[in-house]
Amino acid sequence: MDPIADMLTIIRNGCRGQKQEVTVPYSRLKTEVLRVILEEGYINNFTLDSKKRKITIMLKYAKNGESVIRNLERISKCSRRVYVSKSEIPRVLGGLGTAILTTPVGVLSDREARRKGVGGEVITFVY
């Protein structure tokens, strides 16, 4: 019953199956999360199909064929929300990964949230 967790699972399974692209149902929050993942360089691109209400995600692979995304980990769940202040924003793998947060300013990566000085709900870790 968690649409964000479902999207992360679809991406994870697509990477393991060496798919070039995967499709997920549309929502505005998913689009914002994907925008941050795209800005951080973990996917090639994503497109919106407004008629079918779908998002097509183009996955990214290294030259040796290995997926750029090693893991997508859902942190804040429906049963347990995880909120952090600006001083408690986690560093994923010592800064090699990315935490995605929903903040009062919008959906941001951990680096941007630190730079803007805002905290919020930790949605996921990407590395």
Side-chain angles (χ1 to χ4, degrees):
M1 301 304 293
D2 184 6
I4 298 294
D6 292 343
M7 177 186 75
L8 297 177
T9 300
I10 289 169
I11 294 171
R12 199 178 308 117
N13 291 341
C15 289
R16 288 187 181 142
Q18 299 289 314
K19 302 285 185 189
Q20 291 302 310
E21 59 184 41
V22 292
T23 304
V24 297
Y26 171 81
S27 82
R28 197 166 60 221
L29 180 59
K30 288 179 192 176
T31 305
E32 290 300 309
V33 170
L34 287 171
R35 179 189 54 79
V36 173
I37 292 173
L38 176 64
E39 287 173 0
E40 293 294 318
Y42 290 105
I43 59 174
N44 279 330
N45 202 358
F46 68 93
T47 57
L48 304 174
D49 186 358
S50 57
K51 289 194 176 200
K52 294 183 182 176
R53 301 202 37 91
K54 300 277 183 188
I55 305 171
T56 304
I57 305 162
M58 282 61 106
L59 301 175
K60 190 173 187 177
Y61 295 95
K63 290 182 180 176
N64 63 359
E66 193 173 323
S67 174
V68 172
I69 297 174
R70 301 292 168 109
N71 197 11
L72 292 164
E73 189 177 332
R74 180 77 157 124
I75 302 304
S76 191
K77 301 175 182 170
C78 294
S79 60
R80 181 173 176 261
R81 301 289 181 182
V82 178
Y83 296 95
V84 294
S85 67
K86 63 182 180 182
S87 62
E88 299 171 330
I89 296 173
R91 292 190 187 275
V92 182
L93 294 178
L96 296 176
T98 302
I100 300 175
L101 293 88
T102 56
T103 67
V105 185
V107 178
L108 302 174
S109 69
D110 56 347
R111 291 172 193 81
E112 260 191 77
R114 271 189 218 92
R115 190 174 53 77
K116 291 185 177 184
V118 293
E121 180 182 356
V122 182
I123 297 177
T124 184
F125 289 167
V126 184
Y127 53 92

